[in-house]
Amino acid sequence: MKSQVQQKPTEAELEILQILWKFGAATVRSVNDRLNESKKVGYTTTLKIMQIMFDKGLLSRDEEKRSHVYRAEVREQEIQGLLLDKFLHSAFGGSAMKLVMQALGNHRASKDEISEIRKLLDELEGDKK
């Protein structure tokens, strides 16, 4: 997989990436069928988006068989980091504290989530000592 994403994926591209991250390599038909579980998307629309994603380097394509098989060329964590960085800077002025406070204030965290957050904070504090 490539290590540097040049531009953030569009919303439609992100939906396709999420399918490929969850289910692995797939044909356009398979991706389109999964997209149609939640909304109506035409096959040719899915095909065009995936061709654009291939051109951008977001997807790779195995052309050995009649039906091309596509796979994600970017890691989920890489895209999440890119999107979070852009969101953090545009919506919260770069303040991670404001983002976390807003997220925790708008969402009731479970005991397990709070435990994981504490563990992460402990690790971050240990790195600074």
Side-chain angles (χ1 to χ4, degrees):
M1 287 197 175
K2 295 182 180 177
S3 61
Q4 283 292 355
V5 178
Q6 299 301 319
Q7 57 187 330
K8 77 175 191 159
T10 65
E11 191 172 323
E13 291 170 344
L14 192 54
E15 287 180 83
I16 290 169
L17 283 170
Q18 288 172 338
I19 290 169
L20 294 173
W21 289 327
K22 184 174 183 180
F23 299 104
T27 63
V28 174
R29 171 66 56 209
S30 177
V31 170
N32 190 71
D33 288 347
R34 296 222 185 257
L35 287 171
N36 278 303
E37 290 173 3
S38 60
K39 65 181 180 178
K40 181 73 175 137
V41 180
Y43 175 85
T44 55
T45 300
T46 303
L47 173 62
K48 184 63 178 168
I49 294 169
M50 290 178 75
Q51 289 171 335
I52 291 168
M53 292 173 73
F54 172 76
D55 292 340
K56 287 180 171 181
L58 294 172
L59 302 180
S60 62
R61 178 172 62 204
D62 180 355
E63 300 175 359
E64 292 292 314
K65 299 182 179 130
R66 187 173 184 279
S67 294
H68 297 168
V69 176
Y70 289 83
R71 66 183 34 79
E73 274 298 308
V74 290
R75 293 185 338 269
E76 185 174 13
Q77 296 83 357
E78 185 179 359
I79 296 297
Q80 288 172 341
L82 175 70
L83 294 173
L84 182 59
D85 284 347
K86 289 186 183 246
F87 182 66
L88 178 69
H89 290 286
S90 64
F92 294 95
S95 172
M97 183 196 69
K98 286 181 182 179
L99 171 68
V100 170
M101 297 301 288
Q102 185 71 32
L104 291 176
N106 287 346
H107 169 74
R108 186 165 174 84
S110 69
K111 288 183 180 184
D112 287 342
E113 289 173 323
I114 291 170
S115 176
E116 286 297 314
I117 292 168
R118 276 200 182 99
K119 198 182 313 179
L120 176 61
L121 289 173
D122 290 343
E123 287 173 15
L124 290 171
E125 283 182 341
D127 288 346
K128 297 197 182 206
K129 290 181 180 178

